[in-house]
């Protein structure tokens, strides 16, 4: 590839960066984990993760802005779900990729 990035490439990469931002946090990954099998309310996500309501709400906002999670209102409850099966596939591929990480690599990551 030669030359400079074109405006459309810059926009595409910025969108891609925002997309991956949704995956780049332990707390958000825990929320994804809670949503893998079914949609959940904030209370159910809190129960699953053990995180505070404010932490869950902040991260759900990020996930919604990154277009990774959807929400639907049903009476007084809002139900959250993973927006697309492709996102589940990405998470599954990521999980498969790290299964082979050796303990030495894990220990190295703790620095």
């Amino acid at each position: 590839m030669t030359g400079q990035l074109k405006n459309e490439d810059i926009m595409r990469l910025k969108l891609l960066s925002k997309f991956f931002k949704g995956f780049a946090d332990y707390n958000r990954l825990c929320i994804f984990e809670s949503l893998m099998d079914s949609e959940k309310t904030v209370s159910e996500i809190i129960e699953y993760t053990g995180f505070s309501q404010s932490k869950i709400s902040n991260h759900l906002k990020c996930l919604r802005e990154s277009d990774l999670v959807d929400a639907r209102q049903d009476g007084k409850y809002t139900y959250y779900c993973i927006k697309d099966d492709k996102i589940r596939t990405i998470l599954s591929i990521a999980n498969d990729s790290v299964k082979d990480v050796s303990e030495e690599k894990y220990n190295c990551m703790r620095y």
Side-chain angles (χ1 to χ4, degrees), residues 60-77:
L60 282 170
K61 180 179 183 218
C62 173
L63 291 171
R64 289 183 72 192
E65 287 175 357
S66 298
D67 219 20
L68 299 172
V69 168
D70 262 343
R72 77 171 175 86
Q73 195 73 34
D74 186 8
K76 67 178 187 169
Y77 296 102

Side-chain angles (χ1 to χ4, degrees), residues 29-54:
L29 288 173
C30 289
I31 292 170
F32 276 127
E33 187 80 15
S34 75
L35 297 175
M36 285 297 278
D37 60 341
S38 64
E39 66 180 6
K40 294 195 174 42
T41 64
V42 169
S43 296
E44 292 170 318
I45 297 169
I46 290 168
E47 185 177 321
Y48 183 89
T49 62
F51 299 153
S52 69
Q53 187 274 329
S54 61

Side-chain angles (χ1 to χ4, degrees), residues 1-10 12-13:
M1 188 168 169
T2 61
Q4 290 186 313
L5 287 171
K6 297 176 184 162
N7 284 340
E8 59 266 16
D9 293 326
I10 291 169
R12 178 181 51 82
L13 292 171

Side-chain angles (χ1 to χ4, degrees), residues 19-20 22-25 29 32-33 36 85-101 109:
F19 176 79
F20 279 113
F23 299 101
D25 182 89
L29 288 173
F32 276 127
E33 187 80 15
M36 285 297 278
D85 280 336
K86 289 181 260 184
I87 294 164
R88 282 187 182 81
T89 301
I90 290 167
L91 291 165
S92 178
I93 290 168
N95 277 319
D96 289 345
S97 295
V98 298
K99 281 181 185 175
D100 297 331
V101 174
M109 289 171 38

